[in-house]
């Protein structure tokens, strides 16, 4: 009896002392925002900072081992006079994108907005002197596009980011620092971002892995294993964000299973479940909305030598495959230091937009369809429709495995011409009038699913 009482006491005690976020209950606004986010399907990622000047990606401070005091020269001539928020937002909208995720602070520690807790920001340190995030936030609001901020946990510039992690070792900072002070600084910057820029759709964290002991092995653990024994206090940061803006979605690019308090899960250069990058071996797919991000060439930040442009077809395929994997697609541009997006990107985005104008119905508002991704393509689903996206197939006939319901009709999405269905317990054979045309980016067959017969 006494033992039972003791157990009862311990259990109730643990409930009382459990940190708020470990029993995280998303608010109604947050759940609605998650659903809207999944419906949106397509967003623009923007990597832009003083590193853009050096035209060799956003990691250049680390790669070239530039000491912080030398890197500080960059802001003094960062002057993006051709930046035009309206142009960027219109470009995203015309591409069919529903949100923008922009770097408020990358690993180099430079804030692209007017921070009051630091002068290491675009308004205080550059000749440009303007708060580009504010201009962008206002324009997004005007054009009805959502805005997320990418914010780096790790910092190669701040002296209190100490003990240092796996990167940014050679930036000439003192061998001391107060990590707790750094965390307060980060939380204060996040408070600024969630207070002064209107409704923010979410925060996209990156850099947590800088303090992790290795690239894998944390599967399912909520307590972050790390090399320096530091505590990121994610619960505190996440609670703060949810308190300031309950609908703001938190995602963290930590390459492991989601932690409590997160609202979506992202996969860098990787379709969920593909584990294609080498740093995401431990990344299992959780229950949250999913997003996958990719570059238009091979770089995030502007890289003048990078001509490995993906074709419009490749990018449309990536978007369609992401949708088939039940994930959003966040497609990146790294604008140039003058504030312009390079013409190659502008052109591809416009072409993707033309495709989305015609075919968006089979992407927006859908979820991953009943057939898992195949070599030939993917399926998406919405209401009683299933969209079969044929990306690589040369025959008139395509066989699907058994579907959960009866297909009552099938047609080509493009011209609504009928597609013959032969359905049995084994599966569904779709027979088109002609094989998919070689120049079609995606041959889409629309299936009408008969309403499920009500159970007695
Ligand atoms: O912002 C863009 C990149 O700068 C950032 N994420 C995208 C969205 C990014 N940072 N790092 N990476 C991408 C690649 C990650 C490499 C890692 Fe590692 C491998 C992290 C942990 C293992 C390299 C090796 C860095 C630390 C050890």
């Amino acid at each position: 009896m006494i033992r039972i009482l003791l157990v009862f006491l311990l259990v109730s005690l643990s409930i009382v002392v459990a940190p708020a976020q470990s029993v995280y209950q998303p608010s109604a606004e947050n759940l609605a925002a998650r659903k809207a986010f999944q419906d949106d399907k397509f967003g623009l990622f923007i990597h832009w900072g003083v590193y853009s000047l050096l035209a060799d990606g956003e990691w250049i401070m680390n790669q070239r081992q530039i000491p912080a005091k030398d890197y500080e020269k960059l802001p003094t001539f960062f002057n993006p006079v051709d930046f035009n928020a309206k142009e960027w937002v219109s470009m995203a909208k015309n591409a069919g994108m529903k949100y923008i995720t922009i770097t408020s602070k990358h690993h180099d520690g430079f804030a692209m907005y007017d921070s009051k807790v630091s002068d290491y920001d675009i308004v205080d340190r550059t000749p440009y002197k303007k708060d580009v995030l504010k201009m962008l936030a206002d324009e997004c609001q005007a054009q009805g596009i959502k805005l997320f901020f990418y914010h780096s946990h790790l910092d190669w510039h701040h002296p209190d980011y100490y003990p240092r992690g796996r990167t940014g070792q050679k930036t000439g900072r003192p061998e001391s620092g107060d990590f707790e002070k750094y965390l307060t600084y980060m939380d204060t910057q996040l408070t600024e971002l969630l207070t002064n820029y209107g409704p923010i759709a979410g925060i996209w964290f990156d850099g947590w892995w800088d303090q992790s002991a290795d690239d894998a092995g944390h599967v399912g653990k909520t307590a972050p294993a790390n090399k320096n024994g530091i505590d990121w206090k994610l619960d505190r940061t996440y609670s703060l964000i949810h308190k300031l803006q309950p609908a703001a979605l938190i995602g963290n690019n930590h390459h492991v299973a989601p932690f409590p308090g997160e609202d979506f899960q992202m996969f860098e250069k990787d379709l969920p479940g593909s584990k294609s990058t080498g740093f995401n071996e431990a990344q299992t797919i959780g229950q949250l909305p999913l997003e996958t991000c990719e570059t238009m060439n091979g770089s995030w930040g502007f890289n003048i030598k990078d001509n490995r442009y993906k074709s419009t077809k490749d990018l449309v395929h990536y978007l369609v495959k992401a949708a088939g994997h039940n994930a959003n697609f966040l497609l990146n541009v790294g604008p140039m230091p003058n504030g312009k997006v390079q013409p190659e990107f502008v052109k591809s985005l416009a072409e993707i937009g033309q495709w989305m104008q015609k075919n968006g119905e089979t992407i927006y508002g859908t979820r991953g369809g009943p057939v898992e991704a195949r070599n030939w393509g993917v399926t998406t689903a919405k209401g009683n429709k299933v969209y079969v996206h044929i990306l690589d197939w040369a025959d008139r006939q395509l066989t699907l495995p058994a579907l959960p319901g009866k297909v009552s009709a099938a047609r080509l999405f493009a011209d609504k011409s009928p597609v013959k269905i032969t359905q049995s317990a084994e599966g569904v054979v779709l027979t088109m009038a002609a094989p998919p045309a070689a120049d079609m980016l995606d041959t889409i067959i629309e299936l009408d699913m008969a309403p499920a017969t009500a159970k007695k």
Side-chain angles (χ1 to χ4, degrees):
M1 183 64 194
I2 288 177
R3 204 182 296 163
I4 293 173
L5 207 68
L6 205 67
V7 168
F8 174 75
L9 260 173
L10 280 175
V11 167
S12 30
L13 201 68
S14 70
I15 291 170
V16 175
V17 298
Q21 292 284 343
S22 58
V23 288
Y24 174 53
Q25 288 292 340
S27 62
E29 300 100 299
N30 189 282
L31 291 172
R34 289 182 188 186
K35 181 177 178 301
F37 175 66
Q38 286 183 291
D39 290 345
D40 287 344
K41 278 290 170 300
F42 193 24
L44 179 69
F45 210 171
I46 303 180
H47 277 72
W48 199 42
V50 292
Y51 47 78
S52 309
L53 281 166
L54 299 179
D56 193 15
E58 74 291 350
W59 270 65
I60 192 159
M61 184 178 182
N62 181 77
Q63 306 307 81
R64 295 260 303 271
Q65 305 188 354
I66 306 176
K69 68 171 179 13
D70 294 328
Y71 196 86
E72 284 183 12
K73 295 169 190 160
L74 286 176
T76 66
F77 49 89
F78 184 72
N79 195 13
V81 289
D82 293 326
F83 169 72
N84 180 332
K86 197 168 181 168
E87 238 172 65
W88 284 14
V89 177
S90 305
M91 177 185 74
K93 257 195 118 158
N94 293 336
M97 292 156 160
K98 304 290 187 190
Y99 61 98
I100 291 176
T101 304
I102 188 167
T103 45
S104 44
K105 183 194 86 162
H106 206 270
H107 309 332
D108 68 352
F110 188 77
M112 290 296 281
Y113 70 99
D114 189 13
S115 176
K116 298 301 177 202
V117 287
S118 156
D119 70 349
Y120 200 51
D121 69 57
I122 190 163
V123 172
D124 295 318
R125 291 278 183 108
T126 74
Y128 191 61
K129 290 189 169 41
K130 288 185 230 166
D131 185 335
V132 290
L133 294 195
K134 181 71 183 143
M135 291 189 270
L136 195 65
D138 291 347
E139 187 59 33
C140 283
Q141 188 84 15
Q143 293 202 38
I145 281 237
K146 293 172 195 161
L147 184 64
F148 288 71
F149 291 131
Y150 167 112
H151 208 76
S152 174
H153 278 301
L154 91 85
D155 195 307
W156 295 328
H157 178 269
H158 202 292
D160 284 320
Y161 184 79
Y162 188 90
R164 283 186 283 279
R166 308 164 71 173
T167 65
Q169 293 287 351
K170 305 269 169 61
T171 63
R173 287 173 289 175
E175 292 308 317
S176 62
D178 182 347
F179 203 80
E180 179 57 32
K181 257 177 142 171
Y182 172 72
L183 289 181
T184 304
Y185 163 79
M186 189 182 75
D187 284 351
T188 315
Q189 287 209 323
L190 289 164
T191 304
E192 294 175 331
L193 289 166
L194 289 155
T195 308
N196 302 331
Y197 297 84
I200 295 307
I203 302 291
W204 208 106
F205 284 108
D206 200 358
W208 173 92
W209 40 259
D210 194 43
Q211 297 284 352
S212 68
D214 50 43
D215 297 344
H218 315 305
V219 188
K221 281 197 188 161
T222 50
N226 62 63
K227 79 195 240 300
N228 291 318
I230 64 112
D231 180 358
W232 280 107
K233 307 209 169 150
L234 292 182
D235 281 356
R236 191 173 79 183
T237 303
Y238 290 176
S239 310
L240 171 74
I241 295 168
H242 285 137
K243 187 176 82 164
L244 290 168
Q245 294 208 24
L249 304 180
I250 297 174
N252 194 330
N253 188 28
H254 42 47
H255 312 148
V256 292
F259 298 141
E262 294 171 6
D263 305 305
F264 70 104
Q265 184 183 11
M266 64 277 265
F267 292 75
E268 178 173 334
K269 288 180 161 290
D270 187 39
L271 291 166
S274 307
K275 302 196 174 181
S276 55
T277 58
F279 52 69
N280 59 352
E281 282 307 307
Q283 191 164 22
T284 50
I285 305 176
Q287 298 302 309
L288 300 174
L290 308 175
E291 182 191 66
T292 181
C293 57
E294 242 308 355
T295 51
M296 296 192 72
N297 47 5
S299 309
W300 300 102
F302 177 55
N303 184 331
I304 202 160
K305 279 207 310 192
D306 189 345
N307 294 312
R308 291 171 292 167
Y309 302 111
K310 295 176 184 74
S311 66
T312 299
K313 178 177 175 175
D314 289 341
L315 295 171
V316 166
H317 279 198
Y318 210 96
L319 167 62
V320 171
K321 284 181 191 172
H325 280 80
N326 203 30
N328 286 13
F329 184 40
L330 183 64
L331 177 59
N332 181 75
V333 297
M336 300 184 290
N338 64 353
K340 288 277 179 201
V341 174
Q342 61 190 91
E344 296 87 350
F345 294 167
V346 173
K347 180 166 178 281
S348 286
L349 289 174
E351 288 168 1
I352 297 170
Q354 283 161 15
W355 188 87
M356 281 299 264
Q357 279 267 321
K358 287 200 205 95
N359 302 292
E361 194 183 323
T362 71
I363 303 287
Y364 299 123
T366 64
R367 298 294 182 267
V371 181
E372 281 196 25
R374 293 285 188 263
N375 286 339
W376 54 257
V378 296
T379 56
T380 55
K382 178 165 60 178
N384 75 325
K385 304 275 192 208
V386 169
Y387 302 102
V388 181
H389 295 265
I390 306 173
L391 303 175
D392 184 13
W393 193 245
D395 297 325
R396 283 177 59 207
Q397 289 192 315
L398 179 73
T399 305
L400 307 181
L403 297 181
K406 190 173 169 351
V407 183
S408 57
R411 64 192 75 80
L412 282 183
F413 180 76
D415 62 7
K416 310 296 169 208
S417 63
V419 168
K420 196 178 141 205
I421 329 159
T422 319
Q423 187 165 17
S424 71
E426 308 280 305
V428 187
V429 180
L430 301 169
T431 307
M432 295 168 269
D439 60 352
M440 275 295 269
L441 298 188
D442 177 9
T443 299
I444 306 167
I445 299 178
E446 178 181 298
L447 309 181
D448 294 342
M449 304 302 293
T453 24
K455 284 206 182 107
K456 291 209 176 107

